Amino acid sequence: MRPLPRQVQRLTDIVLNLNRLKAHIETLETKYHREKGSVALLAVSKKQSIQSIKTLADAGHTQFGENYLQEALTKMSSLTAYPLEWHFIGLLQSNKIRKIAAHFAWVHSVSNLKLATALSEHRPENMPFLNICLQVNLNPGDGRGGMAEEEVFQVAKACLNLPRIRLRGLMCLPLLTDSLNEQRQAFHRLQTCYQQLQNQGISLDTLSAGTSHDLEAAIAEGATLVRIGTALFGPRE
Ligand SMILES: *Cc1c(COP(=O)(O)O)cnc(C)c1O
């Protein structure tokens, strides 16, 4: 058989990766006694081509995560033919809030109440509530954004009064360690935080944790949504 041209080869790889990842997630659900289908896959498409996203959309995938507003808006406008759900997972800057609130279904990276309030204020009336996750920093002082565990309850409670957003859960960034145990310990703290909020009467359904690098630890510790980029699309451009 003649080898496929490089570009086509890569696109077929993406669909293979999608199927492999779904199977892997299912295996991990079983291994860690998670309910089948309880872990959703968010395809992180930052710095990946529109063609790559189309390939996954044609394969039936609908949830995509983006980090950079302008890049995301360009992609959205070329993909309006597909019923995609866009999640903003990047650093939130206050001058970008208005457009983010108007174009995304979810924002995972809400790291303080001021940002949550601004998102609610700018969410257009004719759109459904904006789904948000609070970003928790398990390593305060590392400068990567997010609130400390001790702050989460207060911010979560205040979010319940914001009219145009719906608090869905918690999120944390990928961990900077290769040790499964250390990854699990950190995700365990996030999960504890999540359960404490629920015990205090705040109902949540989304624990956004885990990337290509720490998928297993995240599923072991209760993630309900994993955000996968490179393991799906290959290296970023
Ligand atoms: C880029 C990114 C991911 C995906 O990381 P991969 O290692 O490519 O799977 C997940 N979450 C956030 C917040 C990201 O910025």
Side-chain angles (χ1 to χ4, degrees):
M1 210 171 78
R2 232 165 17 131
L4 292 167
R6 200 189 160 91
Q7 183 64 21
V8 175
Q9 177 77 58
R10 230 189 118 186
L11 293 173
T12 55
D13 281 351
I14 294 174
V15 177
L16 286 177
N17 290 344
L18 175 67
N19 294 329
R20 265 203 300 260
L21 264 166
K22 283 183 179 164
H24 185 49
I25 289 171
E26 234 182 274
T27 306
L28 292 171
E29 285 169 347
T30 307
K31 178 170 175 187
Y32 293 103
H33 312 291
R34 301 285 313 277
E35 204 175 305
K36 191 168 182 285
S38 60
V39 181
L41 171 63
L42 181 68
V44 175
S45 46
K46 63 166 175 246
K47 310 248 175 96
Q48 304 287 356
S49 68
I50 289 170
Q51 193 53 53
S52 303
I53 300 175
K54 264 191 190 146
T55 301
L56 283 186
D58 283 329
H61 195 77
T62 55
Q63 296 182 300
F64 291 88
E66 288 282 342
N67 292 57
Y68 309 105
L69 176 63
Q70 272 319 315
E71 180 188 334
L73 292 178
T74 305
K75 288 172 174 171
M76 285 173 188
S77 62
S78 347
L79 292 161
T80 49
Y82 294 90
L84 304 183
E85 183 181 84
W86 295 95
H87 295 229
F88 188 82
I89 64 171
L91 181 68
L92 276 181
Q93 294 163 292
S94 35
N95 60 336
K96 307 267 168 78
I97 290 284
R98 189 178 57 81
K99 282 191 174 163
I100 290 171
H103 290 278
F104 286 83
W106 285 71
V107 178
H108 291 233
S109 41
V110 179
S111 52
N112 58 54
L113 182 59
K114 205 171 142 206
L115 290 169
T117 307
L119 285 167
S120 179
E121 272 168 13
H122 289 101
R123 181 64 166 178
E125 288 289 337
N126 62 344
M127 291 179 82
F129 296 129
L130 179 66
N131 299 294
I132 69 159
C133 292
L134 298 179
Q135 182 178 334
V136 181
N137 188 338
L138 299 169
N139 236 335
D142 70 1
R144 298 169 82 211
M147 63 193 76
E149 286 150 288
E150 305 79 56
E151 299 174 81
V152 175
F153 177 65
Q154 210 189 340
V155 176
K157 235 175 70 180
C159 282
L160 302 180
N161 297 320
L162 298 172
R164 303 290 305 144
I165 60 174
R166 176 160 291 157
L167 177 63
R168 299 292 294 268
L170 302 181
M171 174 270 209
C172 75
L173 288 181
L175 305 168
L176 305 172
T177 166
D178 288 327
S179 145
L180 179 67
N181 267 337
E182 284 174 20
Q183 291 173 352
R184 282 193 64 168
Q185 279 167 25
F187 286 136
H188 188 74
R189 283 165 51 202
L190 188 72
Q191 189 188 31
T192 303
C193 212
Y194 179 74
Q195 281 165 351
Q196 279 169 356
L197 294 183
Q198 302 203 73
N199 295 341
Q200 286 161 312
I202 299 177
S203 82
L204 303 172
D205 61 10
T206 303
L207 196 53
S208 168
T211 65
S212 302
H213 175 71
D214 43 23
L215 169 69
E216 174 159 359
I219 293 178
E221 299 297 341
T224 67
L225 179 149
V226 292
R227 308 180 309 266
I228 307 293
T230 47
L232 188 53
F233 292 101
R236 285 183 269 278
E237 279 157 18

